[in-house]
């Protein structure tokens, strides 16, 4: 026990205390007499006025310009290449040219593989690596991103469209639906950017994307076992159980080991070059050209040894020539139009999520900002035009973008170089792909999959947020054991469930005063914080007190006051709580259910002889509490800060 000496109270001390009380009363009036906040109608109207005003300003500034200048300004907005192209130099072109050739060497075998993954003929993957990169090069805002077909989108398209039309029995009808889905995806993507609806992409959280991509990578890898082992009959389902069952049944039938030997050998070669490229950064080009070298060498081996006569499956005919028009193949009278539109929406969101994430990652490395809405519009236009030129959904590829960046690209000219290289290959070199083994295409796809499975990021998510990890795991196992769309659905549902749980069960914290300061903090986070005898200070950790969480918050506070207020955590007797102060600094808004719960809380406290005070209420909150007469019910005990609430109530002997 410590003894204390009571000092005599002087006139000067009484005068200081009186001045403090007067200042506290004045500041309380600042809170209570604040002007009314703008209504939702006024907020919407003000936003509309600002939009119209900005439009008028832009229109008036443009009206003063000549027609030629006006047209040039519009073209600069639509085609950013006209802006940065003016400062383009020969030195930059030299770097972009080498980078374009490097990613083309990776793009050609990948495009053929991703087309087969999408259940399309090989040339469609090459088509998708010609027109979309050219369109994006003149409209895109990222400097490093490489546009083309990607594994996840290819799998997503094939898994959903083949439920409508079987590609093995009706390949033409299936291809038409793919083009139609691409058109819808482009329209949705353009709309997202035009109407600034980019937040829709955020429905797929980072954790969900990590799990979804990892699950899709494993499914893609299992699907490639068909080509790697030369299996003739294989399941069209994407879940792991069906695929493993198909592989197991294939092993019980006669099969040719030459496919596996050829594909496995070059898979080891590609992975080895990738390992060397990571260890020695100057040799990054080894990993970039390894897939193309594998295709060339394996094709020569098959051609010289006539291995196709001995059971090695080959690509055979790849249609050459430039992209043909596919306008006549867009069948809007199909009975599956509505279903295809839904597929287009899902693919649009997934493709945008990957592309924007890739673009922003490399933009942050280079130190510039990426306009998300412009990116969505450019990707959207790319796919709209692509659907008219025999292309399927294209987006930013992480693997090719990483190679593009490592190759030293300076601008989107590298995409143009890549597209021209693929165009030349389509025009003159497709006949050379006749003897390309399907096992090599499978090896190229398999070699790209390890980069899609980020175990370290999943572990980081587990350490940081268990609910986020649940969304990650849900997406992973949903894709793995059900289907790609089920995995996406599970991830979105878990993410929304997390938001709902946080909203309806917000936590509250008891505050204490930090020694030597005027700060009041959570006593659990800061054990040295001192709780005021007879006063319980509670802060709600929620931005909204509404019908979903009001009752929960009220009952928790009552439980704390009536039970925990009698003894501390060690069971020692505490002074009876006489005053409850609600710190509403986190509370942005409150509805009628929230006000009703506050009134019930006040009645319960009054019944037990306790008082209620409110500290630091926000504008909307204090306005609604005044209008509902709640402020008058609690005797006007509303204060600017918790410190003032404690001081004022102490002076009034609460």
């Amino acid at each position: 026990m410590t003894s204390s000496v009571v000092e005599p109270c002087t006139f000067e001390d009484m005068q200081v205390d009186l001045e403090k009380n007067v200042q506290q009363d004045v500041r309380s009036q600042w809170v209570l007499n604040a002007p009314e906040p703008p209504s939702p109608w006024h907020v919407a109207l003000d936003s509309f006025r600002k939009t119209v005003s900005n439009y008028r300003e832009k229109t008036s500034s443009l009206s003063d310009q000549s027609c030629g200048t006006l047209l040039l300004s519009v073209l600069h907005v639509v085609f950013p290449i006209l802006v940065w192209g003016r400062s383009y130099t020969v030195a930059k072109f030299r770097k972009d040219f080498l980078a374009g050739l490097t990613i083309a060497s990776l793009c050609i075998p990948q495009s053929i593989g991703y087309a087969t993954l999408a259940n399309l003929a090989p040339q469609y993957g090459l088509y998708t690596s010609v027109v979309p990169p050219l369109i994006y090069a003149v409209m895109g805002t990222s400097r490093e991103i490489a546009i083309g077909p990607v594994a996840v989108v290819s799998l997503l398209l094939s898994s959903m469209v083949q439920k409508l039309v079987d590609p093995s029995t009706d390949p033409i009808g299936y291809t038409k639906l793919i083009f139609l889905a691409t058109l819808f995806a482009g329209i949705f993507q353009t709309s997202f950017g035009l109407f600034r609806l980019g937040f829709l992409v955020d429905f797929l959280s980072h954790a969900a994307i990590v799990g979804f991509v990892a699950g899709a990578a494993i499914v893609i890898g299992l699907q490639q076992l068909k080509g790697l082992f030369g299996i003739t009959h294989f399941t069209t389902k994407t879940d792991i159980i069906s695929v493993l069952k198909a592989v197991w049944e294939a092993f019980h039938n006669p099969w040719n080991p030459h496919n596996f030997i050829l594909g496995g050998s070059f898979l080891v070669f590609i992975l080895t070059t990738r390992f060397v490229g990571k260890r020695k950064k100057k040799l990054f080009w080894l990993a970039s050209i390894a897939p193309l070298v594998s295709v060339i060498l394996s094709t020569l081996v098959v051609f010289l040894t006539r291995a196709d006569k001995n059971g090695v499956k080959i690509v055979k005919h790849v249609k050459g020539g430039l992209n043909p028009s596919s306008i006549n193949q867009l069948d809007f009278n199909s009975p599956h139009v509505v279903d295809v539109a839904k597929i287009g929406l899902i693919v649009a969101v997934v493709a945008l999520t990957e592309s924007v994430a890739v673009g922003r990652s490399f933009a942050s490395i280079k130190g510039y900002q990426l306009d998300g809405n412009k990116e969505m519009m450019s990707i959207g236009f790319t796919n709209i035009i692509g659907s008219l030129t025999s292309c399927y959904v294209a987006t930013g590829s992480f693997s090719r973008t990483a190679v593009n960046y490592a190759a030293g690209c300076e601008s989107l000219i590298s995409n143009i170089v890549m597209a021209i290289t693929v165009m030349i290959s389509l025009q003159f070199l497709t006949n050379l792909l006749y003897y390309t083994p399907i096992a090599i295409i499978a090896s190229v796809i398999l070699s790209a999959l390890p980069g899609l499975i980020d175990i370290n990021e999943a572990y980081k998510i587990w350490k940081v947020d268990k609910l986020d990890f649940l969304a990650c795991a849900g997406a992973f196992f949903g894709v793995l054991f059900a289907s790609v769309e089920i995995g996406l659905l599970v991830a979105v549902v878990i993410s929304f469930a997390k938001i709902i749980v946080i909203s309806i069960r917000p936590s509250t914290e008891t505050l204490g005063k930090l020694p030597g300061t005027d700060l009041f903090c959570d006593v659990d986070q800061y054990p040295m914080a001192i709780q005021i005898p007879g006063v319980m200070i509670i802060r709600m950790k929620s931005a909204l007190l509404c019908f979903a969480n009001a009752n929960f918050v009220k009952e928790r506070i009552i439980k704390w006051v009536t039970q925990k207020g009698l003894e501390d955590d060690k069971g020692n007797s505490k002074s009876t709580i006489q005053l409850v102060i609600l710190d509403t600094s986190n509370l942005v808004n409150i509805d009628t259910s929230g006000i009703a719960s506050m009134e019930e809380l006040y009645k319960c406290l009054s019944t037990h002889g306790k008082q209620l005070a409110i500290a630091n209420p926000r504008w909307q909150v204090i306005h609604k509490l005044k209008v509902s007469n709640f402020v008058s019910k609690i005797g006007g005990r509303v204060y600017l800060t918790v410190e003032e609430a404690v001081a004022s109530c102490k002076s009034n002997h609460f």
Side-chain angles (χ1 to χ4, degrees), residues 3-57:
S3 59
S4 59
V5 178
V6 179
E7 296 181 357
C9 181
T10 63
F11 175 77
E12 288 78 6
D13 294 334
M14 294 177 61
Q15 189 174 12
V16 169
D17 291 339
L18 182 61
E19 290 177 356
K20 285 184 177 180
N21 290 336
V22 171
Q23 291 175 357
Q24 290 170 1
D25 291 339
V26 171
R27 284 194 285 267
S28 294
Q29 292 303 313
W30 293 350
V31 180
L32 294 173
N33 296 330
E36 290 189 10
S39 64
W41 166 252
H42 283 90
V43 171
L45 188 60
D46 185 56
S47 177
F48 176 75
R49 286 173 178 170
K50 288 181 179 179
T51 303
V52 173
S53 177
N54 291 334
Y55 176 76
R56 285 178 177 174
E57 289 178 3

Side-chain angles (χ1 to χ4, degrees), residues 436-455:
T436 300
I438 293 177
I440 294 302
I441 301 301
S443 298
V444 170
I445 296 177
L446 285 169
S447 67
L449 299 183
L452 300 178
I453 304 174
D454 197 340
I455 298 176

Side-chain angles (χ1 to χ4, degrees), residues 156-172:
L156 188 61
L157 271 174
S158 64
S159 65
M160 292 190 292
V161 176
Q162 70 181 359
K163 294 178 181 179
L164 305 177
V165 175
D166 189 350
S168 59
T169 58
D170 187 9
I172 296 177

Side-chain angles (χ1 to χ4, degrees), residues 438-484:
I438 293 177
I440 294 302
I441 301 301
S443 298
V444 170
I445 296 177
L446 285 169
S447 67
L449 299 183
L452 300 178
I453 304 174
D454 197 340
I455 298 176
N456 292 330
E457 187 64 23
Y459 178 64
K460 179 182 176 182
I461 293 170
W462 164 259
K463 290 196 300 182
V464 173
D465 193 319
K466 299 299 186 290
L467 287 177
D468 262 359
F469 182 78
L470 185 61
C472 178
F476 177 78
F477 289 110
V479 171
L480 215 56
F481 291 99
S483 64
V484 177

Side-chain angles (χ1 to χ4, degrees), residues 67 83 136 159-160 217 231 242 252 319 351 384-385 429 529 533 573:
C67 293
V83 178
Y136 183 82
S159 65
M160 292 190 292
I231 301 172
S242 299
H252 287 75
K319 186 178 179 181
I384 290 174
I385 298 175
L429 305 178
S573 177

Side-chain angles (χ1 to χ4, degrees), residues 6-323:
V6 179
E7 296 181 357
C9 181
T10 63
F11 175 77
E12 288 78 6
D13 294 334
M14 294 177 61
Q15 189 174 12
V16 169
D17 291 339
L18 182 61
E19 290 177 356
K20 285 184 177 180
N21 290 336
V22 171
Q23 291 175 357
Q24 290 170 1
D25 291 339
V26 171
R27 284 194 285 267
S28 294
Q29 292 303 313
W30 293 350
V31 180
L32 294 173
N33 296 330
E36 290 189 10
S39 64
W41 166 252
H42 283 90
V43 171
L45 188 60
D46 185 56
S47 177
F48 176 75
R49 286 173 178 170
K50 288 181 179 179
T51 303
V52 173
S53 177
N54 291 334
Y55 176 76
R56 285 178 177 174
E57 289 178 3
K58 291 180 180 179
T59 305
S60 61
S61 63
L62 292 175
S63 62
D64 297 334
Q65 300 176 3
S66 63
C67 293
T69 306
L70 178 60
L71 178 61
L72 189 61
S73 299
V74 174
L75 291 176
H76 283 172
V77 174
V78 178
F79 304 109
I81 192 173
L82 297 177
V83 178
W84 56 262
R86 289 180 294 182
S87 59
Y88 197 68
T89 62
V90 176
K92 290 182 179 180
F93 175 74
R94 190 181 299 113
K95 293 182 179 180
D96 285 334
F97 182 75
L98 294 175
L101 292 179
T102 304
I103 57 176
S105 65
L106 175 64
C107 169
I108 292 172
Q110 275 192 353
S111 298
I112 296 173
Y114 293 155
T116 57
L117 183 62
N119 288 321
L120 294 169
Q123 65 267 16
Y124 291 112
L126 296 174
Y127 293 157
T128 308
S129 297
V130 174
V131 172
L134 291 175
I135 301 300
Y136 183 82
V138 298
M139 297 187 67
T141 58
S142 171
R143 303 171 192 168
E144 298 81 23
I145 202 166
I147 297 296
V150 295
V152 174
V153 172
S154 300
L155 174 66
L156 188 61
L157 271 174
S158 64
S159 65
M160 292 190 292
V161 176
Q162 70 181 359
K163 294 178 181 179
L164 305 177
V165 175
D166 189 350
S168 59
T169 58
D170 187 9
I172 296 177
Y174 176 83
T175 304
K176 288 182 178 180
L177 291 188
I178 290 289
F179 292 153
L180 191 59
T182 302
L183 176 63
F184 280 123
I187 292 173
F188 282 123
Q189 290 168 336
T190 305
S191 301
F192 293 163
L194 189 62
F195 296 105
R196 299 185 175 274
L197 300 176
F199 65 89
L200 295 174
V201 178
D202 296 331
F203 284 157
L204 289 176
S205 64
H206 171 68
I209 289 296
V210 170
F212 169 74
V213 170
I218 293 177
V219 169
I220 292 169
L222 292 173
Q223 289 281 346
Q224 298 315 301
L225 296 179
K226 174 185 177 182
L228 192 64
F229 290 105
I231 301 172
T232 303
H233 301 289
F234 206 72
T235 180
T236 58
K237 296 180 180 179
T238 59
D239 63 284
I240 187 172
I241 296 176
S242 299
V243 174
L244 290 178
K245 183 180 178 181
V247 174
W248 178 258
E249 291 175 350
F251 284 149
H252 287 75
N253 298 319
W255 63 287
N256 194 317
H258 295 133
N259 290 281
F260 175 71
I261 294 172
L262 192 63
S265 300
F266 280 99
L267 177 60
V268 172
F269 167 69
I270 295 172
L271 294 177
T272 302
T273 57
R274 181 168 298 172
F275 176 76
V276 172
K278 286 184 177 180
R279 293 292 298 270
K280 296 183 179 181
K281 299 297 183 182
K282 292 182 179 180
L283 298 177
F284 75 91
W285 54 271
L286 279 176
S288 304
I289 67 171
L292 185 60
V293 170
S294 299
V295 170
I296 295 172
L297 292 179
S298 63
T299 303
L300 284 174
V301 169
V302 173
F303 176 74
L304 296 175
T305 63
R306 292 297 178 181
D308 58 308
K309 303 296 184 181
N310 297 316
V312 173
K313 296 183 180 297
I314 57 176
V315 172
K316 296 184 179 179
H317 180 66
V318 177
K319 186 178 179 181
L322 301 180
N323 291 45

Side-chain angles (χ1 to χ4, degrees), residues 311-341:
V312 173
K313 296 183 180 297
I314 57 176
V315 172
K316 296 184 179 179
H317 180 66
V318 177
K319 186 178 179 181
L322 301 180
N323 291 45
S325 173
S326 56
I327 297 176
N328 296 330
Q329 298 188 53
L330 297 174
D331 185 9
F332 293 98
N333 296 321
S334 170
H336 304 297
V337 169
V338 176
D339 294 323
V340 173

